[in-house]
Amino acid sequence: MALQKRRPFHCDECGFCRVGDRSNFRHCTQCCMCISVTVYETHNCMTDKYKNNCPVCREDMFSSRQSPQDLPCGHAIHAHCFRNLAGFDYRCPICKKTVVSRTSMSAAWQARARDIEMQPMPEDLARVVNIMCNDCEVKSQGRNWHFLGVQCPGCSSFNTVVENVISSGGVSSSSSSGASSDSGGGGGDNTNGDESMGTR
């Protein structure tokens, strides 16, 4: 049985041989990839999605023998690379959207909000900033900055970036931060509920 799962087969559409027995895969013409039959009907189709390098290890995913994982945002990454990444970051390495379910992250975001409430910034370090949320892509103005992160008032996510500082230590500032700084951090109280695509 184990040998059958590793049996190679030739895919005419891909143009070369893959591993895993033909009966376990179907070729998706839009994704240009052989997809496991267990997730074929529900996978997120995107043209030539797998004809890119893994954003972590930079290996070509189309010809790789390692299984890619389909992220909720539509991007793809090697499954084993995502497992390593999830140990310290809960975001897509390409678009920075949260890839863990909102339900899984809700408790972590609520805990962070409580920590911020219990530990306010000293007056000399207080800042008022404008932010953009990576998850809902909504910009918010006049938010109180904290080193633990700035929460999006719309979706409650802490996956936000500071676009510019309005005031610092009670002094108004018109200077922009230039390159947006990450206000939410990438740390990882998370539960990886996503399943590997199981492609070859």
Side-chain angles (χ1 to χ4, degrees), residues 134-175:
N134 287 326
D135 289 335
C136 67
E137 299 182 3
V138 171
K139 296 185 178 184
S140 303
Q141 299 181 341
R143 305 295 295 170
N144 292 323
W145 177 84
H146 197 281
F147 68 89
L148 291 177
V150 184
Q151 190 169 29
C152 172
C155 68
S156 299
S157 170
F158 274 94
N159 184 9
T160 59
V161 290
V162 173
E163 293 202 310
N164 61 286
V165 179
I166 300 175
S167 64
S168 180
V171 179
S172 296
S173 173
S174 59
S175 63

Side-chain angles (χ1 to χ4, degrees), residues 117-136:
E117 186 177 1
M118 294 173 62
Q119 188 174 325
M121 294 297 296
E123 185 175 343
D124 59 328
L125 296 178
R127 298 177 190 174
V128 178
V129 297
N130 295 336
I131 64 169
M132 187 187 77
C133 179
N134 287 326
D135 289 335
C136 67

Side-chain angles (χ1 to χ4, degrees), residues 22-189:
R22 182 184 297 276
S23 63
N24 295 323
F25 294 90
R26 287 179 61 186
H27 185 88
C28 176
T29 55
Q30 186 172 352
C31 292
C32 292
M33 178 65 98
C34 291
I35 307 293
S36 171
V37 295
T38 59
V39 295
Y40 183 87
E41 297 298 335
T42 57
H43 83 279
N44 189 354
C45 264
M46 186 179 292
T47 303
D48 293 338
K49 175 170 57 178
Y50 298 104
K51 289 190 175 181
N52 292 293
N53 294 336
C54 172
V56 175
C57 71
R58 308 305 300 168
E59 181 186 5
D60 174 49
M61 287 191 291
F62 180 70
S63 59
S64 175
R65 295 182 65 179
Q66 302 294 328
S67 298
Q69 179 161 326
D70 196 13
L71 301 181
C73 57
H75 293 116
I77 182 176
H78 278 139
H80 70 283
C81 289
F82 177 71
R83 286 192 294 270
N84 293 333
L85 181 70
F88 58 89
D89 198 348
Y90 52 77
R91 301 168 300 174
C92 169
I94 299 174
C95 68
K96 300 303 180 183
K97 289 187 180 296
T98 300
V99 297
V100 183
S101 70
R102 185 178 297 272
T103 301
S104 298
M105 290 304 301
S106 179
W109 287 334
Q110 289 175 11
R112 189 176 298 189
R114 287 194 298 270
D115 290 342
I116 290 173
E117 186 177 1
M118 294 173 62
Q119 188 174 325
M121 294 297 296
E123 185 175 343
D124 59 328
L125 296 178
R127 298 177 190 174
V128 178
V129 297
N130 295 336
I131 64 169
M132 187 187 77
C133 179
N134 287 326
D135 289 335
C136 67
E137 299 182 3
V138 171
K139 296 185 178 184
S140 303
Q141 299 181 341
R143 305 295 295 170
N144 292 323
W145 177 84
H146 197 281
F147 68 89
L148 291 177
V150 184
Q151 190 169 29
C152 172
C155 68
S156 299
S157 170
F158 274 94
N159 184 9
T160 59
V161 290
V162 173
E163 293 202 310
N164 61 286
V165 179
I166 300 175
S167 64
S168 180
V171 179
S172 296
S173 173
S174 59
S175 63
S176 173
S177 62
S180 297
S181 60
D182 189 345
S183 73
D189 288 334

